[in-house]
Amino acid sequence: MQDECTVNQTVKYLGRKWTLLIILELYKGDGYTRRFTEVKERLPGITAKVLSARLKELEEEGLVEKKIEAGSVPIRSEYTLTGSGLEMVEVIKGIKQWALRWKVENIACGAQDCRSCVL
Amino acid sequence: MQDECTVNQTVKYLGRKWTLLIILELYKGDGYTRRFTEVKERLPGITAKVLSARLKELEEEGLVEKKIEAGSVPIRSEYTLTGSGLEMVEVIKGIKQWALRWKVENIACGAQDCRSCVL
DNA sequence: CAGAATCCCCTCAGATACTG
DNA sequence: CAGTATCTGAGGGGATTCTG
């Protein structure tokens, strides 16, 4: 049916590794905006290739807007959450709430700096 | 690690193809319960192998409970949503709402990214 | 700084066949 | 009925190197 396709289609790119975390990172930025390297530094383990690919997907899907500062050397580019991206954050919050409630083994986050508790 | 791992960990299995649709199918069943073949018939295109694997994952993650009717020939097994599975349905509803609002081409106004046509 | 280009391994998921 | 076994192709994602 139609709506089921919608879910599968959406999850197809949202379900990829790093995607939701990237969205959260932009959300935490000033004006829901972050630069490439900023996101990269805050997501330990992600490679430039993957980050670049995920951002391009999100841009194509309309959740993220990209701006390149003209005439800047070295290049500076910014990624900003769009309206749909912002609403996706609410969905992600739901996922985090669910995980925190039902996946109790996440005690490790209490020992460290845990942002999910702030969210 | 921290909260980000929670999201990545959760999405790791929830993001797989068919998973959310399977959860929705159980949700639609009487008492949030469906039998193997029932789910299979209602999800055109899914194979027994994949359905079996997804159900096993969901069982291990605690979203689904499996019951085998003793002494029944042929075998009958039932899959029921647990408490956490039911709450996950709410998350999925959020995803569907998001997708319907931002992704489904709206016939009425002919525009994608239409916020005013809410289902 | 913000990527693009390669290489390569590994997993996912489809197709098919078989079984208690 | 409710799965399991096996093979296969496609593609995701990590590591590394290069560049405007």
Side-chain angles (χ1 to χ4, degrees), chain B residues 31-42:
Chain B
Y32 312 123
T33 299
R34 283 257 150 99
R35 289 192 288 110
F36 188 88
T37 306
E38 257 182 323
V39 178
K40 191 171 180 306
E41 283 171 353
R42 286 162 179 271

Side-chain angles (χ1 to χ4, degrees), chain B residues 24-73:
Chain B
L24 283 185
E25 266 312 308
L26 298 184
Y27 178 66
K28 291 174 188 168
D30 226 32
Y32 312 123
T33 299
R34 283 257 150 99
R35 289 192 288 110
F36 188 88
T37 306
E38 257 182 323
V39 178
K40 191 171 180 306
E41 283 171 353
R42 286 162 179 271
L43 293 180
I46 197 172
T47 63
K49 174 200 166 190
V50 171
L51 177 55
S52 178
R54 291 300 91 85
L55 284 171
K56 188 169 292 181
E57 287 163 11
L58 289 172
E59 193 189 357
E60 287 168 0
E61 295 294 335
L63 285 85
V64 165
E65 206 178 13
K66 179 181 180 178
K67 295 165 201 156
I68 304 180
E69 286 186 30
S72 59
V73 178

Side-chain angles (χ1 to χ4, degrees), chain A residues 6-18:
Chain A
T6 305
V7 171
N8 250 350
Q9 203 64 32
T10 303
V11 171
K12 171 149 190 176
Y13 60 91
L14 282 183
R16 289 209 247 267
K17 197 172 176 184
W18 298 112

Side-chain angles (χ1 to χ4, degrees), chain A residues 7-97:
Chain A
V7 171
N8 250 350
Q9 203 64 32
T10 303
V11 171
K12 171 149 190 176
Y13 60 91
L14 282 183
R16 289 209 247 267
K17 197 172 176 184
W18 298 112
T19 300
L20 296 188
L21 301 188
I22 292 169
I23 295 175
L24 283 185
E25 266 312 308
L26 299 184
Y27 177 67
K28 292 171 187 167
D30 225 32
Y32 312 123
T33 299
R34 282 257 150 99
R35 287 192 290 111
F36 187 89
T37 305
E38 256 181 323
V39 178
K40 189 170 182 306
E41 282 170 355
R42 285 161 179 271
L43 294 180
I46 197 172
T47 62
K49 175 200 167 190
V50 170
L51 177 55
S52 178
R54 292 298 93 85
L55 284 171
K56 188 170 291 181
E57 287 164 13
L58 289 173
E59 194 191 354
E60 287 168 0
E61 296 293 336
L63 285 84
V64 165
E65 206 177 14
K66 179 182 181 180
K67 296 166 202 158
I68 304 179
E69 285 185 31
S72 59
V73 178
I75 292 175
R76 282 178 165 252
S77 61
E78 289 182 340
Y79 295 89
T80 306
L81 284 186
T82 63
S84 72
L86 265 175
E87 283 195 17
M88 180 53 68
V89 171
E90 298 306 313
V91 174
I92 301 174
K93 283 183 185 176
I95 297 175
K96 293 181 85 168
Q97 289 302 322

